[in-house]
Amino acid sequence: CVAWALAASLGGRSRSTGTALVTGGLTACGLLLKPVAAAPLGFLAAVDAAERWRGNGRPTAVAFLSRWVAAVACGVAPVMIWCVLRAGNEAVSDALIRYNLAYKQGTLLANILELARIGSRLPASSISVIGLLAIAAILGLIQMEAPERRRILAVILGSMVAVAAPGRFYPHYYQMLLPPLVLAAAIGFTKVLIHSGIRRYAAITMLAVLGFIQVSSLRLPPDEWSRRKYGDVFLDEMRLADYLKTHLEPGDFFWQLAAQPGLYLLTETVPSSGVVYDYPLLPGSPVRCRLARRVLADLKESPPTKVLIRRGRLRKVDGGIGTWIRRNYRVVEGDCPVRPFQLLSLI
């Protein structure tokens, strides 16, 4: 959504109405997928409006922002109304506001400074690619027109805010920076390649190195990609799924008190509760008590055949859940292949 909105903004500077509707619609999609997309897309809209104010005066800027806001509202409002009608105001507020505010760590300024420690969070090959792209992007930003430069810088700054806002720097968060970085780098390479001499050969060499790094990465098997980026967490999830399949019969219900919601997809099993991972049930979560009551009601109404727990979790969730599980389940014989987990079977 960010990449397409930036492309629409750069390509539609003279078409105010169309650009406002397209970028506003893409902003709505981005917000529904990941609310932090509000930062880069909002900054881009602000620069779009400022450029129109600079070129055609205040009324044009106000008209652009009005159309943009209307497009965002038309995309977001129906979904939000549907969610409220289905789940109620409290559940929607818990999911979108209260839990996210509690999830955040640190202040925004401190988090943005922490963002710079990218080298400790990504593989060396990724750092090499980012470094080469950054050099080309700087060249592109220097040589492009001022309105284009301001738009790309706005998205870069907004993406930094989006990555840093939660204060939890998982590797995939950094992909928010890729659209403006790649676009600016592409412009930089284009500007340099039209010249002859050493700069052209330097650009060709950089492109060759980038290609070599990517080809080397693409030759890695999927498991190694996952291990290099996230450790064994997703590989362990696949091992757990294989283990669970040996203990589940067709039509069985299953619930996990852990943070592996992918198990439901991998085992093709319907969860017994809509609370499919345990973070919101743990101490510190502002929705812990309410969701605990909901989980307990769900489990009593449709008792799962098997329950997978991460060791130590029963002591941390609401006492009612732990008591009910201990009373109605027993440990399955045999060791679970992933050490921190334990499988329980309905008595």
Side-chain angles (χ1 to χ4, degrees):
C1 293
V2 174
W4 282 108
L6 182 55
S9 175
L10 293 172
R13 286 181 291 166
S14 61
R15 300 186 297 275
S16 181
T17 300
T19 302
L21 295 177
V22 170
T23 56
L26 289 166
T27 299
C29 292
L31 289 173
L32 293 172
L33 290 169
K34 201 77 171 176
V36 291
L41 292 167
F43 285 16
L44 177 62
V47 172
D48 270 332
E51 292 296 336
R52 283 164 174 77
W53 190 320
R54 184 179 288 106
N56 300 302
R58 178 180 173 182
T60 304
V62 172
F64 173 86
L65 280 179
S66 299
R67 296 186 185 101
W68 182 83
V69 170
V72 174
C74 287
V76 173
V79 177
M80 296 305 300
I81 291 171
W82 180 83
C83 290
V84 169
L85 291 176
R86 291 279 295 182
N89 289 324
E90 193 171 58
V92 173
S93 176
D94 284 347
L96 296 180
I97 300 173
R98 294 185 67 207
Y99 181 71
N100 286 322
L101 289 176
Y103 178 83
K104 182 178 73 70
Q105 292 184 342
T107 65
L108 182 58
L109 179 59
N111 291 345
I112 289 177
L113 295 176
E114 183 70 13
L115 175 79
R117 295 181 57 196
I118 186 172
S120 63
R121 300 186 177 94
L122 297 179
S125 59
S126 297
I127 300 301
S128 301
V129 170
I130 292 170
L132 292 173
L133 287 176
I135 294 172
I138 291 171
L139 293 174
L141 288 169
I142 291 172
Q143 299 188 55
M144 69 180 61
E145 296 179 4
E148 294 177 335
R149 184 187 307 121
R150 283 190 281 266
R151 284 174 167 85
I152 291 178
L153 287 174
V155 175
I156 290 175
L157 179 60
S159 298
M160 291 174 63
V161 172
V163 174
R168 298 172 185 260
F169 296 93
Y170 296 109
H172 62 277
Y173 283 17
Y174 286 92
Q175 68 189 8
M176 293 284 292
L177 291 163
L178 287 178
L181 183 63
V182 170
L183 183 56
I187 294 173
F189 280 124
T190 302
K191 298 289 187 183
V192 172
L193 287 172
I194 62 175
H195 298 287
S196 60
I198 190 170
R199 286 189 297 173
R200 185 176 187 179
Y201 290 117
I204 292 173
T205 302
M206 288 175 64
L207 286 170
V209 172
L210 286 169
F212 175 78
I213 293 172
Q214 290 306 303
V215 168
S216 299
S217 296
L218 291 173
R219 293 177 63 184
L220 292 173
D223 287 359
E224 185 60 26
W225 266 90
S226 181
R227 183 176 290 107
R228 290 190 180 192
K229 194 171 184 180
Y230 296 107
D232 290 330
V233 58
F234 294 114
L235 301 179
D236 285 345
E237 192 168 279
M238 294 175 67
R239 292 169 59 204
L240 279 172
D242 291 338
Y243 170 70
L244 286 168
K245 288 176 183 178
T246 65
H247 292 276
L248 293 171
E249 300 293 335
D252 279 355
F253 286 97
F254 154 67
W255 189 68
Q256 55 113 16
L257 183 58
Q260 279 68 37
L263 289 173
Y264 298 114
L265 178 64
L266 293 170
T267 59
E268 299 180 355
T269 307
V270 177
S272 294
S273 173
V275 183
V276 295
Y277 70 109
D278 64 357
Y279 289 174
L281 296 171
L282 300 179
S285 167
V287 298
R288 180 188 182 210
C289 295
R290 188 178 303 117
L291 287 185
R293 292 194 295 270
R294 175 182 163 187
V295 166
L296 191 55
D298 290 342
L299 296 180
K300 289 179 178 179
E301 181 180 350
S302 180
T305 309
K306 297 290 188 297
V307 172
L308 181 74
I309 63 172
R310 189 179 183 93
R311 295 180 188 274
R313 285 293 197 263
L314 283 180
R315 296 194 301 271
K316 295 182 178 180
V317 298
D318 180 84
I321 296 175
T323 301
W324 188 85
I325 289 177
R326 291 188 186 95
R327 183 184 302 136
N328 293 282
Y329 290 82
R330 59 178 175 78
V331 177
V332 173
E333 294 182 3
D335 291 334
C336 183
V338 182
R339 192 172 185 82
F341 295 90
Q342 191 174 46
L343 185 63
L344 307 179
S345 181
L346 185 65
I347 298 174

